Amino acid sequence: MTMSARSASLPRVVVVTTGGTIAGASSSSTGGAYTAGVLGADALLAAVPELSQVARVQAEPLFAMDSADFTDVHLLQLARRVAALAQRADVDGIVITHGTDTLEDSAYFLHLTLKTAKPVVFTAAMRPATALGADGPRNLYEAVCVAACPRAAGLGALVVMNGAIWSGRDVIKRDAAQVHAVQSPYGPLGWVADGGPRFYRAPCRPHTLASAFDATAIQALPPVAVVAAYGGMDATAHEALAARGVRAIVHAGWGTGTAPAALAPAWARLQAAGIWLVRTSRTGSGPLPRERSPGWLCADDQSPSQARLLLALGLTQTQQGAALQALFDRY
Ligand code: DAS
């Protein structure tokens, strides 16, 4: 096969860029402050000429931002853009470059709301593009290798970083500085080796085609907030959120999602005002016990931010406590 015949038969992968450190630049190559999201999509691709050996890659700039600035509006915009790309017959796989700070939220959201079996792979970097030993180019190359591979189909949203492949169901940023920043309590689904994915397990909870949620059918997410537990906490934040019209508050509690008993009257007032309260754990792993605090919803193993997104999705479809609780047990 000639070179051009070979490249004409390569899978077609679209790289949607949203900013983050992978597109970041600094005046120093060895550390210090940098600005996220300044490199354009074409510059990101140009830094990895090896991409042309594994896929026909097309850039699709969407945002150029620090992922700390993502809102639910951006999440929906990203999901809708990726959903539209996934519908196209001339697209075999999609890569999304993203900041690591809220990568897990976007990956979880798309895992639950995309109606496609095509590979959808997030990637990111811990070092800006101008850094000595920048991890972005290799992460982008490996993400494209995974997105180009039919074996990555049907697994929901994936995250490829530092040679590992994670599920959007449970990936969490666990390190503020190192290139192995993202982890999961359940380990990776596989590794990238010899220019392709090697999978060893698959997510067993419903996602994408089997999920009840479809980003293209959602106009807006209802406001759901997270409040972290701290010693001696009071309900000032909760009451301010209630006054602003929040529909639910996720309690990022200790251990099994515990909350101070002294706040029982405040919880009762919030519940009487129709605000859902959800117990979650700040520990980062482990199922919460099934016995429920009266009137509370209770996460299974979802992190506080996953619980926030799942509940916001659920509230677009039901206001019934039993149905909302079932979401945590199902997804
Ligand atoms: N903290 C940076 C990153 O790791 C910026 C961001 O999240 O956008 O990508």
Side-chain angles (χ1 to χ4, degrees):
M1 201 190 278
T2 63
M3 275 294 276
S4 59
R6 191 179 123 64
S7 52
S9 67
L10 289 174
R12 291 149 303 184
V13 173
V14 177
V15 177
V16 179
T17 59
T18 71
T21 297
I22 193 167
S26 165
S27 55
S28 159
S29 62
T30 52
Y34 66 93
T35 311
V38 292
L39 249 67
D42 291 336
L44 280 188
L45 297 186
V48 196
E50 295 83 355
L51 291 175
S52 64
Q53 294 160 22
V54 290
R56 285 174 281 167
V57 177
Q58 187 195 315
E60 175 91 9
L62 182 63
F63 307 130
M65 57 196 286
D66 192 306
S67 73
D69 296 325
F70 258 66
T71 64
D72 292 349
V73 173
H74 293 103
L75 270 186
L76 274 170
Q77 247 179 291
L78 173 63
R80 289 199 200 106
R81 190 74 204 106
V82 173
L85 289 167
Q87 289 300 316
R88 277 174 34 186
D90 64 343
V91 173
D92 300 307
I94 297 154
V95 167
I96 302 151
T97 61
H98 200 290
T100 57
D101 287 355
T102 63
L103 174 70
E104 66 207 55
D105 290 2
S106 296
Y108 187 61
F109 190 74
L110 268 62
H111 189 71
L112 292 177
T113 62
L114 287 180
K115 293 291 162 226
T116 183
K118 289 183 184 174
V120 173
V121 183
F122 284 79
T123 195
M126 290 299 287
R127 297 179 183 140
T130 49
L132 187 65
D135 50 333
R138 189 175 183 100
N139 287 343
L140 177 58
Y141 173 74
E142 294 190 334
V144 170
C145 290
V146 174
C149 178
R151 290 198 306 283
L155 293 174
L158 302 171
V159 174
V160 168
M161 266 190 89
N162 202 33
I165 309 168
W166 307 93
S167 170
R169 162 68 183 47
D170 41 52
V171 69
I172 302 187
K173 185 174 182 182
R174 278 266 155 245
D175 193 290
Q178 308 302 320
V179 294
H180 59 267
V182 302
Q183 303 287 325
S184 157
Y186 308 107
L189 299 183
W191 305 101
V192 185
D194 300 329
R198 294 198 196 166
F199 289 106
Y200 301 96
R201 59 186 195 88
C204 66
R205 297 219 174 182
H207 56 77
T208 53
L209 295 173
S211 155
F213 305 111
D214 178 352
T216 63
I218 298 171
Q219 297 310 311
L221 290 176
V224 177
V226 179
V227 178
Y230 59 92
M233 71 187 293
D234 63 20
T236 309
H238 306 76
E239 275 149 15
L241 288 164
R244 293 194 54 186
V246 83
R247 299 274 304 284
I249 298 174
V250 174
H251 173 72
W254 300 283
T256 56
T258 49
L263 289 188
W267 307 141
R269 281 196 301 280
L270 293 164
Q271 287 159 340
I275 295 169
W276 294 102
L277 297 176
V278 192
R279 280 200 300 136
T280 64
S281 173
R282 70 176 192 179
T283 58
S285 65
L288 301 192
R290 298 279 167 170
E291 85 272 7
R292 317 289 185 208
S293 316
W296 285 66
L297 301 171
C298 181
D300 178 20
D301 68 337
Q302 293 87 4
S303 69
S305 61
Q306 288 176 329
R308 184 185 82 80
L309 292 170
L310 183 55
L311 186 58
L313 285 169
L315 286 168
T316 65
Q317 295 187 352
T318 181
Q319 312 303 314
Q320 300 298 316
L324 293 170
Q325 179 57 55
L327 297 174
F328 295 104
D329 303 331
R330 176 170 164 76
Y331 291 100

